[in-house]
Amino acid sequence: MIWSFVLATVGIIGIYVAGRDSKWGWAIGLAAQVLWIVYAIVSHQYGFIISAIGYGYFYGLNFYKWNKKVRR
């Protein structure tokens, strides 16, 4: 059960940091998805893998957009 609290906290921190216009927020969110996949495998809750892939895609996409915006 502690895993779910840790993962939720990491995700919330990632969103908060991203909202402060920092690329690290997107990186934290993306890294959290790796942890969700590990959690899904260990706990045999494989549906979390699908959500982690979806969230990871958008975290990666927004990270890419953020970098592109900064380079202009």
Side-chain angles (χ1 to χ4, degrees), residues 35-58:
L35 297 176
W36 274 108
I37 291 171
V38 171
Y39 174 75
I41 292 168
V42 169
S43 66
H44 304 284
Q45 298 182 61
Y46 302 110
F48 282 123
I49 294 172
I50 296 166
S51 66
I53 290 169
Y55 281 107
Y57 170 79
F58 287 108

Side-chain angles (χ1 to χ4, degrees), residues 26-27 29-30 33 50-66:
W26 303 117
L30 192 57
Q33 301 319 303
I50 296 166
S51 66
I53 290 169
Y55 281 107
Y57 170 79
F58 287 108
Y59 276 115
L61 180 64
N62 287 328
F63 181 75
Y64 171 77
K65 288 179 180 180
W66 188 93

